[in-house]
Amino acid sequence: MHSKKIVAVLLTVGVVASTFAIFNQINMKGAFADTIKQNVVYTKEDTSSVSQDDGTGKITGDEKEAYRQKSLDILKDYFNISSVEENDDFKFSACILNEKTLDAIKPLEQKDIQNSYDKKEISKEEYDKEMAFVEENDNGLKDRVAKLKHGMVQAGWVGINEDKCYMFDFNENTKEIDYVLISEGYLDESKPKLTISQEQLKDTAEDFIKQHKLGDIEKPKCILVAGENGHRLFYQDENDSSKKVEIFISPYTGKVDGFSIKAYADLEYSIEINETRLGTK
């Protein structure tokens, strides 16, 4: 396991790290850990007063504020979260991920890891692991972009020392939401998991889909229950199999704490099916 120090380094201005890696560092547990995907990137807030276009896709100014407002609206409309309290470690950021920006991001990640190693802040073993991770993550992100057939705007509030996160993926072309994941209090090791039957999970997911008309699905049909204790559920429209959604349900609250729709949900479903078939799950 990489150290929190390494993750902090990867989250410095202009450098990004996988969300999966970030939350591995802070001993994230339970179904939330199961829902965090590798090949997800989030940037830390740029503290400089002058924005520099370094090709990494960092979003600033009015466009960033527009995505911030979109994210706040989603939190309010879908999860009844009316506001987000920010601090120096927990500020909104947004970044465009496509083949071009990923080519710019990768060498910055590698350079930052190299600098940490040169300063003897990390061991050779940590250095090798981080470099390998950057390569794997870059390949995974490019594969995801290719399969989605569009770039992503990944945005949200994620902090190394925070006990919560709010993460969003938007379609780069349409600016519409593709994926949301929220979590609060996941560092509390004493928090007990609820005993929730599969039928209860399905009822909760279906009510959420119907309430929000998620993915334009009119008649939700469950096609796969996955994740730790079945807290990821996939649905499609009974009359249109091209309409799919993925629902995340918290094992601590029994409430929906995330979803993916459209091409994003279709991709996640395909990945889950293939991993199950290959026996890698």
Side-chain angles (χ1 to χ4, degrees):
M1 181 177 291
H2 317 310
S3 67
K4 287 177 70 173
K5 187 173 184 178
I6 297 304
V7 178
V9 168
L10 289 173
L11 281 171
T12 53
V13 174
V15 183
V16 294
S18 161
T19 310
F20 182 85
I22 292 170
F23 288 99
N24 253 352
Q25 320 314 314
I26 48 183
N27 299 317
M28 186 179 57
K29 63 188 180 72
F32 180 63
D34 185 77
T35 63
I36 290 291
K37 295 183 289 294
Q38 294 191 46
N39 313 324
V40 179
V41 173
Y42 289 88
T43 61
K44 189 177 176 72
E45 174 77 4
D46 188 347
T47 55
S48 63
S49 58
V50 180
S51 174
Q52 296 180 346
D53 183 7
D54 55 5
T56 61
K58 188 187 309 176
I59 296 174
T60 60
D62 291 343
E63 187 178 9
K64 174 184 170 183
E65 182 56 31
Y67 275 110
R68 182 178 183 276
Q69 189 57 55
K70 278 177 175 281
S71 301
L72 288 171
D73 289 344
I74 290 168
L75 289 177
K76 181 179 180 181
D77 294 343
Y78 290 91
F79 304 103
N80 199 30
I81 297 174
S82 57
S83 63
V84 176
E85 184 175 345
E86 297 187 356
N87 56 49
D88 289 341
D89 186 53
F90 198 66
K91 291 183 179 180
F92 182 81
S93 61
C95 179
I96 298 171
L97 292 183
N98 54 39
E99 189 171 352
K100 182 179 178 180
T101 62
L102 289 170
D103 282 340
I105 287 168
K106 181 179 175 181
L108 291 179
E109 290 182 310
Q110 293 171 324
K111 180 180 178 181
D112 214 64
I113 295 168
Q114 184 67 53
N115 288 340
S116 294
Y117 179 66
D118 292 343
K119 294 177 182 178
K120 302 186 184 304
E121 295 175 345
I122 58 174
S123 68
K124 182 62 165 60
E125 181 181 5
E126 288 175 311
Y127 170 85
D128 290 340
K129 287 181 179 179
E130 291 296 338
M131 283 296 193
F133 177 81
V134 167
E135 189 70 38
E136 179 183 358
N137 203 47
D138 179 70
N139 291 337
L141 280 162
K142 286 180 178 176
D143 182 62
R144 177 173 290 272
V145 167
K147 288 178 177 176
L148 287 173
K149 298 181 180 179
H150 63 74
M152 300 174 285
V153 173
Q154 293 195 330
W157 293 264
V158 178
I160 282 294
N161 297 309
E162 291 294 324
D163 198 18
K164 60 190 173 190
C165 69
Y166 309 114
M167 299 180 287
F168 310 82
D169 282 2
F170 296 90
N171 182 312
E172 180 189 4
N173 299 329
T174 67
K175 316 299 183 186
E176 294 179 352
I177 190 65
D178 277 343
Y179 163 86
V180 183
L181 184 63
I182 67 172
S183 186
E184 297 176 327
Y186 59 83
L187 292 183
D188 184 358
E189 295 286 342
S190 65
K191 184 184 295 185
K193 293 182 181 179
L194 301 176
T195 301
I196 311 173
S197 70
Q198 191 169 110
E199 287 306 310
Q200 288 175 310
L201 291 170
K202 288 181 178 180
D203 287 344
T204 298
E206 289 173 21
D207 287 346
F208 187 86
I209 293 170
K210 292 175 181 177
Q211 177 185 353
H212 298 288
K213 299 181 180 178
L214 204 63
D216 296 325
I217 289 179
E218 295 181 1
K219 294 184 177 181
K221 175 184 177 181
C222 185
I223 55 174
L224 180 66
V225 177
E228 183 178 333
N229 299 320
H231 290 92
R232 289 176 65 203
L233 299 94
F234 291 87
Y235 282 81
Q236 68 184 28
D237 192 293
E238 189 174 311
N239 300 319
D240 187 349
S241 62
S242 68
K243 296 179 179 180
K244 288 187 178 65
V245 299
E246 176 188 18
I247 302 292
F248 307 128
I249 297 179
S250 168
Y252 305 109
T253 66
K255 298 178 180 180
V256 173
D257 60 1
F259 62 83
S260 68
I261 59 176
K262 300 181 180 178
Y264 210 109
D266 198 48
L267 175 58
E268 288 303 312
Y269 176 72
S270 297
I271 291 172
E272 191 69 33
I273 290 294
N274 289 336
E275 288 182 347
T276 300
R277 184 181 298 121
L278 294 171
T280 56
K281 292 294 286 184

